[in-house]
Amino acid sequence: MTDTTSSSAPAEGRPPIQSFEQVLEKRESRVAEFDSTPKSPLRRLQHLLHANPTAVPAIVLALGVIGFSFIVGGRFLSSFNLSLIIQQVTIIGIIGIAQTLIVITAGIDLSVGAIMVLCSVVMGKLAVTLGVPAPLAFLAGLTVGGGCGAINGLLVTRLRLPPFIVTLGTWSIFFALNLWYSGSETLRSQDVAKAAPFLQVLGTPVDILGARFTYGSFFMLLLIAVVWYVLNRTALGRHIYAVGDDPAAAELSGIRTQRVLFKVYVAAGIVCALGAWALIGRIGSISPQAGQTANLDSITAVVIGGASLFGGRGSIVGTLIGALIVGVFRNGLALSGVDVLWQEFTVGILIIVAVALDQWIRKVSA
């Protein structure tokens, strides 16, 4: 039999050392160390912007206001002009809310403008042409908006079609229904004011310290506050972000992703109907040709506002800031005498820069 004791004499009162214990005594006793290399200033900035997606839009908005205040002068900073910018972005801001909800879920909705105009036509035809009480016509418009959103939601969730393709198709469908139902006729502002003044109530002006606002501007801010609360303080809001960030992981965690997506599209349709109410108040009349650029304008506001087209990242406040950036640059360039062509050129550059910056910021989580 092999002797398993150590050749050296054991200490008094201690059992003999076994051979396997001799191996353990020779083990590595150093503790693992993880050296953290200090982050470069650019890397720290990247992490900061990733944690605060509205930081860049806020900085761009501030620089735009400061820059045009020097270029244009007192005309730009006048109370009337600043309040005019807010009025001009009211429709974009409301439709941008609907677009933000879709973009957070990694989708995109090209039909928001068509839904808005269709709802405005439904409200106007019922209230002005058919004599339906204006509040009931308004509710009918909300129902149409929710129904249009439900159609988009069903096609995306049940048939698993890409949101871009779905909404591209429904944009054409809703626009065709709009022209058919309206007969391509515009309801004059005088007729709307006589038969259904309730539909124009959001266009009522309010003068505050030399600035002129409308009820529509305050309605936009109220709607933004409500949606912000839903996204940041409710379980539904957390589920929306989770579905946009990683739908597979969200489903494994117990979230009914398809149901959440359907609710988002229905909510976006209802918000578009509320935008239709604000649109009637803004322009006074009801035209089937109104809001032709609302689709692209809403996407512009969302992208410039810091939302990611890849989903899971974005905020309602950022969308408002994005809409204000577009309004500030268009207004400032117009007051500077710049042609409309170059105004759109500038907005296009802003979109490309915003998307490129989003790609760079997303590398933090890669």
Side-chain angles (χ1 to χ4, degrees):
M1 179 180 290
T2 305
D3 185 12
T4 58
T5 60
S6 174
S7 59
S8 59
E12 185 177 354
R14 181 179 174 183
I17 299 176
Q18 304 296 317
S19 58
F20 68 87
E21 292 179 318
Q22 293 178 2
V23 176
L24 292 176
E25 284 185 342
K26 297 177 182 179
R27 72 187 184 278
E28 183 64 56
S29 59
R30 290 181 299 173
V31 179
E33 297 179 356
F34 300 92
D35 295 330
S36 58
T37 57
K39 295 185 179 70
S40 65
L42 188 62
R43 188 70 173 173
R44 288 199 297 268
L45 175 62
Q46 191 178 19
H47 279 269
L48 176 64
L49 297 180
H50 186 271
N52 302 276
T54 59
V56 174
I59 293 173
V60 172
L61 178 61
L63 292 177
V65 172
I66 294 173
F68 285 118
S69 65
F70 281 106
I71 296 174
V72 180
R75 286 187 303 160
F76 179 79
L77 290 178
S78 66
S79 300
F80 178 79
N81 187 64
L82 293 179
S83 61
L84 179 62
I85 293 175
I86 296 177
Q87 292 183 48
Q88 291 172 340
V89 303
T90 296
I91 307 303
I92 300 177
I94 295 177
I95 299 301
I97 295 173
Q99 194 69 256
T100 302
L101 294 173
I102 305 298
V103 169
I104 289 177
T105 62
I108 195 167
D109 194 340
L110 299 178
S111 67
V112 289
I115 295 175
M116 176 183 68
V117 178
L118 177 60
C119 293
S120 70
V121 168
V122 169
M123 294 178 189
K125 289 287 285 186
L126 291 177
V128 178
T129 306
L130 301 179
V132 175
L136 292 180
F138 170 71
L139 292 177
L142 290 181
T143 303
V144 170
C148 292
I151 293 174
N152 287 336
L154 287 173
L155 293 174
V156 170
T157 58
R158 298 300 181 186
L159 299 184
R160 306 298 178 107
L161 299 177
F164 181 87
I165 301 301
V166 167
T167 56
L168 179 61
T170 55
W171 169 75
S172 298
I173 293 172
F174 298 152
F175 184 69
L177 290 175
N178 161 41
L179 294 179
W180 167 75
Y181 188 66
S182 66
S184 299
E185 295 179 354
T186 297
L187 299 176
R188 298 183 306 167
S189 177
Q190 302 92 318
D191 297 333
V192 178
K194 181 179 179 180
F198 173 78
L199 297 181
Q200 296 179 332
V201 69
L202 293 184
T204 305
V206 180
D207 294 329
I208 302 176
L209 299 176
R212 169 159 289 193
F213 301 94
T214 61
Y215 287 160
S217 301
F218 298 115
F219 180 73
M220 175 190 68
L221 296 177
L222 176 62
L223 195 58
I224 286 174
V226 171
V227 178
W228 179 91
Y229 179 83
V230 172
L231 287 177
N232 294 276
R233 293 292 186 268
T234 66
L236 176 60
R238 292 190 292 271
H239 292 171
I240 291 173
Y241 279 104
V243 169
D245 189 47
D246 192 336
E251 192 162 1
L252 288 175
S253 66
I255 298 175
R256 301 177 126 184
T257 55
Q258 301 305 310
R259 178 175 293 184
V260 170
L261 279 176
F262 180 76
K263 289 180 180 179
V264 165
Y265 279 94
V266 172
I270 293 175
V271 171
C272 290
L274 295 175
W277 189 27
L279 177 66
I280 297 173
R282 173 67 181 158
I283 65 177
S285 60
I286 299 175
S287 172
Q289 303 295 335
Q292 292 292 319
T293 63
N295 298 328
L296 297 181
D297 286 342
S298 66
I299 298 173
T300 300
V302 171
V303 172
I304 294 179
S308 174
L309 292 176
F310 299 95
R313 184 168 173 271
S315 71
I316 295 299
V317 175
T319 297
L320 173 61
I321 296 175
L324 289 174
I325 289 174
V326 175
V328 164
F329 272 80
R330 283 178 174 168
N331 181 272
L333 291 172
L335 291 178
S336 302
V338 177
D339 189 82
V340 176
L341 171 67
W342 298 110
Q343 295 177 31
E344 298 302 321
F345 178 85
T346 304
V347 173
I349 291 178
L350 288 175
I351 295 173
I352 295 175
V353 171
V355 174
L357 189 60
D358 171 65
Q359 293 275 40
W360 178 67
I361 293 174
R362 283 180 61 87
K363 292 180 181 179
V364 170
S365 57

